[in-house]
């Protein structure tokens, strides 16, 4: 069974600075998807960024980028130029390819953004 | 507005009550999901429906009963719950499954359930 581990329960970053959230996962599959979801205090979970395992290039979405290390099974999220609106719970998630659409989530990292 | 709505947003019920949670998606998706989110635990997938057919029941107790009358609506019927069932219940939807597609899941705001 796949597992996802987020070893940082809480992180803090100053506004305009850069922060990296870590995520590791365990799988025997060679092709899969990885996701970072954001859950602000209002609780609506939204997708931040995704990575297909077969792609070597790291995904980027504006201020959000990932460092995908397939051999190390690591999938960290980097937030540049942090903003107050980035404060939220961040969840790393894994999904196999194929017809099964089950997402496996980590326990989340709470990100605080300070002035 | 993510296109996935859930009602009610908050629910307090006794252990002998019967209640239902409702989820509706306006995204034209064909797969819907129920998740349970408890403090300091990963989101737990409970049920999955793909084209109205239940494709996964993740060892959920029978006091939780899902219903998917069509691809836009998903219900979670609750009866004789326990205090440990108190949690945030999230609904999500995605495109119906086809091999090779990402099937990004879109989440609703959740129902905060408290069982007394």
């Amino acid at each position: 069974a796949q597992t996802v581990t987020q070893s940082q329960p809480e992180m803090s970053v100053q506004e305009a600075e850069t922060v990296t959230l870590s995520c590791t996962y365990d799988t025997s599959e060679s092709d899969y998807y990885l996701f970072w979801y954001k859950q602000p205090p209002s609780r609506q979970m939204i997708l931040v960024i995704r990575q297909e395992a077969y792609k070597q290039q790291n995904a980027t979405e504006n201020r959000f980028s990932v460092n995908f290390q397939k051999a190390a099974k690591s999938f960290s999220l980097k937030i540049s130029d942090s903003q107050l609106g980035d404060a939220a719970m961040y969840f790393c998630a894994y999904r196999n390819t194929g017809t099964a659409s089950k997402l496996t989530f980590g326990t989340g990292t709470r990100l605080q953004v300070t002035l | 507005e993510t296109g996935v709505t859930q009602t009610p947003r908050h629910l307090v019920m006794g252990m002998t009550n019967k209640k239902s949670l409702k989820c509706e998606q306006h995204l034209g998706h064909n797969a819907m999901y129920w998740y349970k989110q408890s403090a300091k635990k990963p989101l737990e997938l409970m049920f999955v429906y793909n084209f109205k057919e239940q494709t996964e029941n993740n060892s959920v107790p029978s006091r939780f009963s899902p219903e998917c009358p069509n691809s836009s609506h998903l219900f979670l019927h609750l009866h004789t719950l326990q205090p440990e069932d108190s949690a945030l219940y999230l609904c999500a939807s995605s495109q119906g499954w086809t091999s090779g597609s990402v099937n990004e899941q879109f989440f609703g705001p959740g129902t905060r359930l408290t069982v007394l």
Side-chain angles (χ1 to χ4, degrees):
Chain A
Q2 291 79 23
T3 58
V4 177
T5 302
Q6 293 180 250
S7 59
Q8 306 154 316
E10 291 191 13
M11 292 284 285
S12 183
V13 63
Q14 281 192 319
E15 201 177 15
E17 296 297 310
T18 296
V19 64
T20 298
L21 309 184
S22 64
C23 173
T24 58
Y25 57 94
D26 187 26
T27 183
S28 57
E29 302 291 331
S30 60
D31 200 13
Y32 46 86
Y33 301 111
L34 294 164
F35 307 86
W36 277 98
Y37 279 88
K38 171 185 177 181
Q39 188 179 37
S42 65
R43 302 177 307 182
Q44 195 102 33
M45 187 98 68
I46 57 174
L47 180 66
V48 174
I49 197 166
R50 67 175 182 232
Q51 175 82 41
E52 288 92 331
Y54 67 87
K55 291 186 178 178
Q56 292 185 333
Q57 186 172 9
N58 289 324
T60 299
E61 289 287 343
N62 300 313
R63 298 182 296 106
F64 299 86
S65 61
V66 299
N67 183 4
F68 173 48
Q69 301 289 326
K70 191 171 183 179
K73 296 180 182 175
S74 170
F75 183 61
S76 61
L77 174 70
K78 186 172 82 171
I79 306 174
S80 304
D81 187 26
S82 297
Q83 301 174 359
L84 294 177
D86 295 332
M89 283 289 290
Y90 286 82
F91 294 94
C92 179
Y94 167 101
R95 185 173 81 74
N96 284 330
T97 58
T99 57
S101 198
K102 176 181 177 179
L103 278 174
T104 300
F105 285 86
T107 51
T109 296
R110 181 173 302 280
L111 178 66
Q112 293 183 322
V113 181
T114 59
L115 295 172
Chain B
E1 174 60 55
T2 64
V4 181
T5 58
Q6 289 186 245
T7 55
R9 295 292 301 272
H10 300 270
L11 178 63
V12 179
M13 60 187 289
M15 290 190 285
T16 58
N17 292 158
K18 288 186 180 181
K19 296 288 184 183
S20 296
L21 310 185
K22 179 183 176 181
C23 175
E24 184 173 1
Q25 59 92 3
H26 310 274
L27 301 169
H29 290 160
N30 288 299
M32 297 188 78
Y33 313 76
W34 279 117
Y35 288 89
K36 176 182 179 182
Q37 186 176 22
S38 305
K40 299 183 179 179
K41 292 176 67 176
L43 270 74
E44 302 171 60
L45 180 66
M46 300 175 72
F47 302 104
V48 184
Y49 280 83
N50 192 38
F51 292 93
K52 299 190 295 179
E53 296 294 321
Q54 187 180 128
T55 56
E56 184 142 358
N57 176 339
N58 203 24
S59 302
V60 180
S62 59
R63 57 186 183 268
F64 295 90
S65 175
E67 179 190 0
C68 188
N70 54 61
S71 292
S72 298
H73 293 86
L74 183 66
F75 296 89
L76 187 63
H77 303 299
L78 316 170
H79 63 97
T80 60
L81 294 192
Q82 305 298 312
E84 59 264 29
D85 296 322
S86 298
L88 182 67
Y89 288 84
L90 293 171
C91 172
S93 71
S94 72
Q95 294 178 351
W97 302 337
T98 55
S99 179
S101 60
V102 178
N103 290 332
E104 175 186 340
Q105 293 184 23
F106 293 80
F107 285 81
T111 295
R112 172 69 63 189
L113 174 67
T114 302
V115 181
L116 301 176

